[in-house]
Amino acid sequence: MGPLQLVKQQWEGFTPSPGTNILDFVNNLQNTLQTSLALARENLKDAQEEQKAWYDKHARERSFKVGDQVMVLKVLQAHKMEALWERPFMVQECLEAVNYLIVSPTSNLKPKVYHVNSLKPFYFRELKVCQFTAEGGDDAKCPEGVYYEGKSDGGVEAVNLSMTLECTQQQQIKELCTSFAQTFSATPGWTEREYHFNDTGNARPIRAQPYWVSPQVKTAIEWEIQDMLQMGVIHPSGSAWASPVVLVPKPDREIHFCVDYCKPNAVTRPDNYPIPRTDELLEKLGQAQFISTLDLTKGYWQVPLNESAKERSAFTTHVGLYEFNVLPFGLRNAPATFQKLVDSLLVGLGESAVAYLDDVAIFSDSWAEHLEHLQKVFEHVREAGLIVKLRSVTYKQSDLPWTPGGSRNYQPPTGQSECYPKLASPKVKETGPILLRLGWVLQAMCTALQQNRCPTERPNQKKETNQNPDKCSSVN
């Protein structure tokens, strides 16, 4: 303290505090340090327990025995920040609960100690090679068991008619279909009423590797690519975009050749064109006496793509890179584009025809009206350049399951109705509304559900209780 500071304190009337004994100061300092140390250890213990609980939540206990074959996570020599699993190694000795002495049976390297987190079991799998050969060149048949047994050439004669129709009615339907024979084919058509645009903005091209598939699926992919090349659906591509292929089997043993467009779809702007509700479409069919259904042949493939969408539709396979000329399955906004096309196709026919994507239903109150409505729909299909699948079906209303309304009591198909009473009680909160919605749909069509109606009709009311659980759980 300098002389000026002393003068300042004198002017301000500063009174110095009494001095502290050196021993008391040291004792207070030791007590403070001990208290702080105990608090730090307590907080450290809590933090360690929290970190251990978080780690153990996803951790799996692993242990190895002497002689076990393992894979070792080793750091790459060229890139110290990268590691790679190498195999096979063998456990020579268990040093501790988490440390093992590992030796390589194929090299003379000195055994090294590794932590259990750097080890994982090695499983040896036998290599099985499958080979398919076809003789006869272009006349070779498709291999069995590769989704091709159900594929048919089609024809007007393949139209399936209900047995409840009279002979004259069946003959009239066949004559009508024969007059529009060019609209029935197994090869998809081509329309210019709608083009699909794929708006990805300024997103960079996305490239993915093809998925691993079995030899049977590879053969199916090769046959599908050959068919699509012949039909003009695809062509070889040099696009910077690439997505892997997925084959989806259909109930009729045919397949949907789909592409996994998850990554390109993530950068595509959505098209919010509305898709019709199936329950509303069924309500329109409820009072009809005659209903016919048409399935467009590979409906999406009848819609062309614009040039930018073709580049983004590229898919990669083991036989090369291709891109679509037409709308592929799995592309975002594909349902909206196709629904636009079908809605424009049925303009003016809203009172006699409805459509959900590629499925078109024509309904009428009388047979004469039904023939007229079918002819109008066939004319619209022909004018649009579309092709109808050959398995068009004509029903009488008494044959239709799941049709609400009318004076009859409709029952679901036997194979489906048997599974509903076996449904387990919901264990999760989110499952309840789903089962209730299913019950509401079945309630209008199933007499048993009308008689055994549960009081839980409003899932949002938390205070409502089930007064008769036995009655609700037994639906016969």
Side-chain angles (χ1 to χ4, degrees):
M1 181 179 295
L4 294 178
Q5 187 69 19
L6 293 175
V7 173
K8 179 181 178 181
Q9 292 179 358
Q10 185 66 27
W11 288 347
E12 294 178 352
F14 174 75
T15 304
S17 59
T20 304
N21 191 347
I22 187 65
L23 296 178
D24 296 338
F25 176 80
V26 172
N27 290 333
N28 293 336
L29 180 61
Q30 290 179 348
N31 294 335
T32 303
L33 292 177
Q34 291 178 358
T35 303
S36 302
L37 180 60
L39 183 60
R41 289 176 176 175
E42 182 179 356
N43 292 334
L44 178 62
K45 183 179 179 181
D46 294 341
Q48 289 176 343
E49 292 178 354
E50 183 179 355
Q51 294 177 2
K52 183 178 183 301
W54 179 86
Y55 179 82
D56 293 343
K57 183 178 180 180
H58 303 281
R60 298 293 182 269
E61 183 178 358
R62 286 180 292 177
S63 61
F64 302 96
K65 299 179 182 179
V66 176
D68 288 350
Q69 289 188 336
V70 296
M71 300 181 67
V72 178
L73 185 64
K74 303 185 69 174
V75 178
L76 299 179
Q77 297 295 333
H79 305 280
K80 298 298 183 180
M81 300 300 294
E82 298 182 6
L84 183 67
W85 289 100
E86 297 184 4
R87 63 174 176 88
F89 292 85
M90 187 175 62
V91 178
Q92 187 179 39
E93 184 180 356
C94 301
L95 301 179
E96 297 176 1
V98 294
N99 293 328
Y100 295 88
L101 187 62
I102 304 300
V103 62
S104 175
T106 59
S107 64
N108 297 326
L109 297 177
K110 183 179 179 180
K112 189 175 180 181
V113 178
Y114 288 93
H115 191 271
V116 69
N117 288 344
S118 299
L119 305 174
K120 68 179 181 180
F122 171 73
Y123 300 99
F124 177 78
R125 294 180 174 87
E126 297 181 359
L127 180 62
K128 297 182 179 180
V129 180
C130 299
Q131 182 178 3
F132 295 90
T133 59
E135 299 179 357
D138 296 338
D139 297 332
K141 295 182 178 180
C142 299
E144 297 182 358
V146 199
Y147 313 123
Y148 282 91
E149 296 88 339
K151 188 169 281 191
S152 59
D153 295 333
V156 175
E157 64 279 359
V159 177
N160 184 17
L161 300 178
S162 173
M163 298 304 297
T164 58
L165 293 177
E166 300 177 359
C167 296
T168 56
Q169 294 175 340
Q170 296 184 15
Q171 184 63 27
Q172 290 174 347
I173 284 290
K174 292 181 180 179
E175 293 177 357
L176 179 61
C177 293
T178 304
S179 63
F180 291 91
Q182 66 275 16
T183 63
F184 295 88
S185 175
T187 302
W190 180 278
T191 183
E192 295 183 354
R193 286 197 174 187
E194 189 73 33
Y195 282 81
H196 181 77
F197 298 85
N198 196 9
D199 186 6
T200 58
N202 298 325
R204 291 186 176 183
I206 299 175
R207 180 179 181 274
Q209 295 295 329
Y211 294 143
W212 181 94
V213 293
S214 63
Q216 295 91 337
V217 178
K218 285 185 178 180
T219 306
I221 292 176
E222 294 172 1
W223 280 94
E224 284 293 324
I225 289 178
Q226 182 180 358
D227 291 344
M228 291 188 293
L229 287 173
Q230 293 177 355
M231 291 185 294
V233 174
I234 61 174
H235 66 271
S237 173
S239 172
W241 298 71
S243 301
V245 171
V246 178
L247 297 186
V248 181
K250 297 174 61 177
D252 58 359
R253 294 295 295 169
E254 292 191 8
I255 65 171
H256 275 309
F257 187 91
C258 302
V259 182
D260 186 1
Y261 288 118
C262 290
K263 293 182 179 179
N265 289 344
V267 296
T268 302
R269 294 183 60 184
D271 185 352
N272 296 322
Y273 188 84
I275 305 297
R277 292 171 54 96
T278 54
D279 55 347
E280 294 180 356
L281 299 181
L282 289 175
E283 289 178 0
K284 291 185 178 181
L285 305 179
Q287 303 295 335
Q289 295 298 318
F290 298 94
I291 300 177
S292 297
T293 58
L294 304 178
D295 186 12
L296 298 182
T297 303
K298 295 186 179 295
Y300 282 14
W301 288 0
Q302 303 191 46
V303 181
L305 298 177
N306 68 338
E307 294 301 325
S308 61
K310 290 180 182 180
E311 181 182 1
R312 288 159 176 77
S313 68
F315 61 92
T316 177
T317 66
H318 64 284
V319 292
L321 182 68
Y322 301 88
E323 65 183 37
F324 280 93
N325 297 321
V326 294
L327 182 61
F329 299 98
L331 200 62
R332 188 174 190 179
N333 301 330
T337 299
F338 195 81
Q339 190 65 43
K340 290 179 187 177
L341 171 64
V342 179
D343 289 346
S344 65
L345 178 69
L346 301 180
V347 170
L349 303 176
E351 299 300 327
S352 59
V354 294
Y356 183 83
L357 296 180
D358 60 342
D359 295 320
V360 181
I362 302 95
F363 55 97
S364 309
D365 294 334
S366 64
W367 180 250
E369 292 180 350
H370 195 59
L371 292 177
E372 182 181 354
H373 295 160
L374 280 175
Q375 183 176 358
K376 290 182 179 179
V377 172
F378 289 162
E379 290 175 354
H380 285 215
V381 170
R382 182 172 58 185
E383 292 174 0
L386 298 173
I387 297 298
V388 180
K389 211 168 189 178
L390 302 177
R391 289 183 296 276
S392 300
V393 183
T394 301
Y395 291 101
K396 198 172 182 179
Q397 191 214 32
S398 58
D399 299 335
L400 286 176
W402 304 112
T403 307
S407 59
R408 300 175 177 86
N409 292 326
Y410 298 98
Q411 299 295 334
T414 305
Q416 298 181 12
S417 60
E418 294 176 353
C419 65
Y420 296 121
K422 301 178 182 180
L423 291 176
S425 301
K427 303 297 183 182
V428 186
K429 179 181 178 181
E430 290 76 7
T431 312
I434 298 176
L435 294 179
L436 286 178
R437 283 193 290 269
L438 175 62
W440 295 337
V441 174
L442 299 179
Q443 179 180 321
M445 312 168 191
C446 197
T447 306
L449 283 179
Q450 293 177 358
Q451 297 175 355
N452 299 279
R453 188 172 179 178
C454 297
T456 57
E457 293 196 2
R458 293 180 295 276
N460 294 331
Q461 292 187 359
K462 299 181 180 180
K463 296 183 179 180
E464 187 171 0
T465 59
N466 189 354
Q467 301 296 336
N468 193 355
D470 296 334
K471 183 178 180 180
C472 295
S473 60
S474 60
V475 179
N476 298 323

